[in-house]
């Protein structure tokens, strides 16, 4: 295990651990090359050898402290029987939701479909390049998966129909069941940390948090902890990080780039991850590093994991990522 897990465990580390959301993917030429030959994204996620190679691409280039498995949050709707496709310059497109089919799918059918991901985790965690580093698994949060399953593409704004969907309570239960299966098998095969991506948490009004965010996420977090793994939550764009942490009690919290980091430093005690705007990686070197330094200084008396406030953008130059990672690694 590496310094990322130590930091989340509240142990002292000599350096600030660093990894980046979406570190494996769209901005790396070596990813684009593999991707151009593999036009079916889901199939690529279910190819353990190629997914392993993509997972390790950023580890080979940069001094990162952790790898995140190459996969996608939409693999869960796929495993539950909904069609999932990724269209160039559009993003994910999900098929019609056939609720009877979703309700009748068995745990074994789900696990059979996801089995290549567990193989990917097993062979990646055993690779010596990860000696002393952590391997992060992940799931989409229940709310974000519900949004995708009902909206069938990334939402631009909240479609109120989601609240009115008649089978929503059973669907939420079914999603939670699939999330637990997926987390358990990721942990059993070598993921020591699970990150929960609630990318669309910011769409919800506060009065809906209890039902759609707090209740299901607390259940998933407690379940992950019971397996002996660490859990990091990323409720993107919510304005209530303090309340969220009190309700959910994750092991660490990833903050987005809109929230004021000084407020977080003075109001939240658990390990903090992330924050810097991914657009900073598109700036001139000095401006990029000025922004990185701001986060490092604000959180210098905190348990802090350097990361971004959302994923690395496709137009990011890999050289800038290297400059950033080396800067954080040498920061005292
Ligand atoms: O972080 C990593 O490097 C690991 C891999 C990873 C991917 N998706 C690979 C991917 C992770 C952790 C995700 C999570 C994910 N997927 C989220 C949560 C994080 C966030 O960005 O808010 C969400 C909302 C999705 C759903 C999704 N998948 C969208 C909206 C898209 C299209 C837009 C985009 O990001 O490119 C994807 C496709 C996707 N997932 C790609 C990659 C590398 C690009 C696929 C391609 O090459 O066409």
């Amino acid at each position: 295990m590496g310094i990322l897990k130590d930091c989340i465990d509240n142990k002292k580390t000599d350096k600030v651990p660093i990894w980046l959301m979406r570190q494996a993917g769209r901005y790396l030429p070596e990813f684009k090359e593999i991707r151009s030959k593999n036009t079916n994204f889901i199939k690529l996620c279910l190819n353990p050898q190629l997914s392993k190679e993509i997972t390790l691409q950023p580890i080979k280039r940069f001094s990162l402290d952790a790898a995140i498995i190459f996969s996608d949050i939409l693999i869960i709707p796929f495993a539950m029987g909904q069609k999932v496709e990724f269209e160039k310059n559009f993003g994910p497109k999900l098929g019609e939701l056939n609720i009877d089919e979703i309700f009748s799918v068995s745990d074994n059918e789900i696990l059979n479909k996801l089995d290549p991901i567990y193989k990917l985790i097993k062979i990646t965690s055993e690779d010596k390049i990860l000696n002393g580093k952590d391997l992060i698994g992940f799931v989409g949060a229940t709310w974000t998966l519900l949004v995708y399953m009902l909206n069938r593409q990334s939402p631009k704004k909240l479609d109120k129909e989601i609240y009115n969907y008649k089978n929503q309570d059973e669907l939420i239960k079914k999603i939670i069941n699939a999330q637990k299966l997926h987390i358990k098998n990721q942990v059993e095969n070598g993921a020591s940390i699970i990150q929960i991506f609630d990318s669309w948490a910011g769409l919800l009004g506060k009065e809906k948090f209890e039902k759609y965010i707090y209740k299901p996420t607390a259940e998933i977090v407690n379940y992950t902890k019971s397996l002996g793994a660490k859990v990091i939550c990323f409720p993107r764009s919510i304005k209530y990080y303090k309340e969220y942490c009190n309700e959910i009690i994750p092991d660490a919290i990833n903050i987005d780039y809109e929230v004021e980091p000084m407020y977080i430093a003075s109001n939240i005690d658990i390990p903090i991850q992330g924050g810097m705007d991914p657009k900073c990686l598109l700036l001139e070197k000095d401006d990029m590093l000025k922004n990185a330094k701001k986060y490092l200084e604000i959180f210098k008396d905190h348990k802090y994991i350097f990361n971004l406030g959302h994923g690395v953008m496709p137009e990011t130059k890999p050289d800038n990522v290297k400059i950033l990672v080396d800067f954080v690694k040498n920061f005292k």
Side-chain angles (χ1 to χ4, degrees):
M1 298 306 147
I3 68 166
L4 176 59
K5 184 138 188 274
D6 287 346
C7 182
I8 300 174
D9 255 338
N10 269 307
K11 291 190 189 125
K12 201 172 156 24
T13 59
D14 292 344
K15 302 223 158 124
V16 174
I18 175 169
W19 70 279
L20 304 173
M21 292 188 280
R22 303 299 197 96
Q23 66 188 25
R26 310 164 291 177
Y27 70 105
L28 286 177
E30 57 271 38
F31 169 75
K32 287 186 217 164
E33 198 186 319
I34 294 181
R35 179 75 171 101
S36 69
K37 293 184 207 132
N38 294 271
T39 49
N40 184 326
F41 184 74
I42 291 283
K43 258 197 182 157
L44 181 56
C45 291
L46 297 176
N47 178 325
Q49 294 301 337
L50 284 178
S51 302
K52 175 187 169 188
E53 197 178 326
I54 298 168
T55 300
L56 295 179
Q57 281 173 348
I59 308 300
K60 290 179 180 155
R61 262 187 189 256
F62 316 116
S63 309
L64 295 159
D65 295 305
I68 179 160
I69 61 158
F70 176 74
S71 183
D72 198 87
I73 62 165
L74 299 178
I75 208 77
I76 284 188
F78 166 81
M80 290 167 79
Q82 193 170 12
K83 193 168 164 190
V84 179
E85 284 176 335
F86 290 82
E87 208 170 277
K88 222 180 160 148
N89 304 323
F90 181 81
K93 263 196 176 163
L94 285 79
E96 205 80 54
L97 184 72
N98 182 337
I99 201 70
D100 296 331
E101 199 182 317
I102 301 270
F103 286 161
S104 67
V105 68
S106 71
D107 290 0
N108 265 342
E109 283 170 298
I110 291 176
L111 289 175
N112 277 340
K113 281 198 178 161
L114 298 178
D115 193 57
I117 299 178
Y118 311 133
K119 202 168 276 161
L120 147 75
I121 295 178
K122 183 129 193 77
I123 59 175
T124 307
S125 66
E126 287 167 356
D127 195 294
K128 58 182 182 314
I129 195 174
L130 284 188
N131 267 349
K133 296 185 195 276
D134 298 288
L135 182 59
I136 304 166
F138 66 88
V139 289
T142 314
W143 162 249
T144 286
L145 293 178
L146 183 73
V147 168
Y148 273 111
M149 291 181 81
L150 295 176
N151 196 59
R152 297 170 51 207
Q153 62 184 53
S154 297
K156 292 205 173 54
K157 56 177 179 35
L158 184 66
D159 180 349
K160 294 272 186 310
E161 287 302 306
I162 293 179
Y163 296 147
N164 301 329
Y165 181 64
K166 63 177 189 311
N167 293 309
Q168 59 169 288
D169 291 347
E170 293 84 344
L171 183 54
I172 288 172
K173 270 197 205 128
K174 196 78 189 171
I175 294 172
I176 292 176
N177 176 61
Q179 288 172 297
K180 286 183 177 173
L181 289 171
H182 194 36
I183 291 172
K184 180 167 191 279
N185 283 274
Q186 292 186 72
V187 171
E188 282 177 353
N189 283 282
S192 52
I193 298 166
I194 296 290
Q195 177 143 328
I196 301 175
F197 287 94
D198 211 345
S199 303
W200 300 112
L203 288 179
L204 269 179
K206 189 132 186 259
E207 71 290 354
K208 304 283 185 188
F209 271 39
E210 182 58 35
K211 171 169 184 179
Y212 293 101
I213 298 193
Y214 293 154
K215 199 163 168 279
T217 311
E219 184 172 346
I220 297 296
V221 163
N222 289 337
Y223 179 74
T224 309
K225 288 180 179 175
S226 79
L227 301 171
K230 296 289 164 191
V231 54
I232 308 172
C233 288
F234 180 33
R236 182 164 72 90
S237 293
I238 58 158
K239 295 183 180 66
Y240 316 100
Y241 277 99
K242 185 179 155 74
E243 186 186 292
Y244 180 95
C245 288
N246 291 339
E247 292 282 337
I248 308 275
I249 321 180
D251 293 309
I253 183 89
N254 195 113
I255 56 171
D256 64 73
Y257 56 87
E258 284 163 332
V259 65
E260 178 50 59
M262 293 281 257
Y263 168 82
I264 298 288
S266 38
N267 283 283
I268 296 183
D269 289 334
I270 63 170
I272 310 288
Q273 173 174 282
M276 191 176 89
D277 193 333
K279 287 197 199 77
C280 294
L281 278 155
L282 310 178
L283 301 173
E284 291 297 324
K285 177 186 162 195
D286 289 353
D287 290 326
M288 170 177 80
L289 296 182
K290 206 155 81 193
N291 279 285
K293 197 162 173 230
K294 177 178 122 182
Y295 279 89
L296 289 164
E297 293 201 322
I298 288 175
F299 291 112
K300 75 179 180 326
D301 298 323
H302 229 91
K303 291 280 176 285
Y304 184 61
I305 301 153
F306 197 94
N307 203 319
L308 304 174
H310 200 195
V312 178
M313 300 172 80
E315 54 272 52
T316 305
K317 289 200 194 80
D319 285 352
N320 277 13
V321 176
K322 180 166 172 24
I323 292 168
L324 174 69
V325 175
D326 290 345
F327 177 77
V328 173
K329 288 277 73 160
N330 291 311
F331 185 82
K332 283 260 182 234

